[in-house]
Amino acid sequence: MVQRTRMLSAVADTEALGRELAEELKAGDLVVLDGPLGAGKTALTRGIAAGLGVQGRVSSPTFIIARQHRAGERGVPLVHVDAYRLGGDLDELDALDLDTDLQDAVVVVEWGLGVVEHLADRHLRVRLSREPESDVRTAVWEWIAGTAEA
């Protein structure tokens, strides 16, 4: 699969990339976001949500862990998950029933690397990094084939 890279000079660029990525997403797709605090994971998710046309304000679901956004004009809902507080706790992850959501929605998981990939046959992995002392970010993304649990 092809790996792509883009420099993102402002938050608006990160959101624009999210809108572009949304064009290739459909119900059943899993997006795994990786990157340090402040790298732009939530901004990218806002862009994906805008591209999907979902309803509701998109903000980090850090304290509620998962937030569902109803479908809008494209007819595809978004489930936005922040796995940071799960700390790799697979029991808590299972309690979220993400595998059920994956059938009907695009599921975006911040801090999901190494935690949620098993939920789908393939996933879009987006790695975000931020230059020290700068607002410039880099996004590297690619579709990864995986092995979902049967």
Side-chain angles (χ1 to χ4, degrees), residues 74-97:
R74 280 195 42 201
V76 180
L78 172 73
V79 177
H80 182 196
V81 179
D82 186 328
Y84 183 79
R85 292 186 60 221
L86 297 178
D89 186 339
L90 296 181
D91 289 336
E92 275 192 68
L93 179 66
D94 286 343
L96 293 175
D97 278 337

Side-chain angles (χ1 to χ4, degrees), residues 87-136:
D89 186 339
L90 296 181
D91 289 336
E92 275 192 68
L93 179 66
D94 286 343
L96 293 175
D97 278 337
L98 292 181
D99 50 348
T100 301
D101 290 327
L102 265 170
Q103 297 172 16
D104 303 318
V106 169
V107 176
V108 176
V109 184
E110 297 186 26
W111 303 99
L113 190 64
V115 179
V116 297
E117 294 91 338
H118 70 281
L119 296 174
D121 290 329
R122 69 180 193 132
H123 64 278
L124 179 63
R125 180 176 61 199
V126 182
R127 291 185 176 170
L128 295 158
S129 60
R130 183 175 182 178
E131 300 294 322
E133 308 297 322
S134 170
D135 285 337
V136 175

Side-chain angles (χ1 to χ4, degrees), residues 12-83:
D13 297 327
T14 304
E15 291 174 349
L17 175 60
R19 285 190 299 278
E20 288 176 36
L21 293 176
E23 291 175 13
E24 61 184 276
L25 297 174
K26 62 187 181 325
D29 283 339
L30 173 65
V31 180
V32 179
L33 304 181
D34 182 39
L37 285 171
K41 295 179 293 295
T42 300
L44 187 71
T45 304
R46 274 195 309 270
I48 291 171
L52 293 174
V54 300
Q55 299 177 18
R57 182 176 158 269
V58 174
S59 59
S60 178
T62 300
F63 296 105
I64 60 168
I65 301 178
R67 181 171 283 141
Q68 294 188 1
H69 299 274
R70 290 182 305 182
E73 66 249 19
R74 280 195 42 201
V76 180
L78 172 73
V79 177
H80 182 196
V81 179
D82 186 328

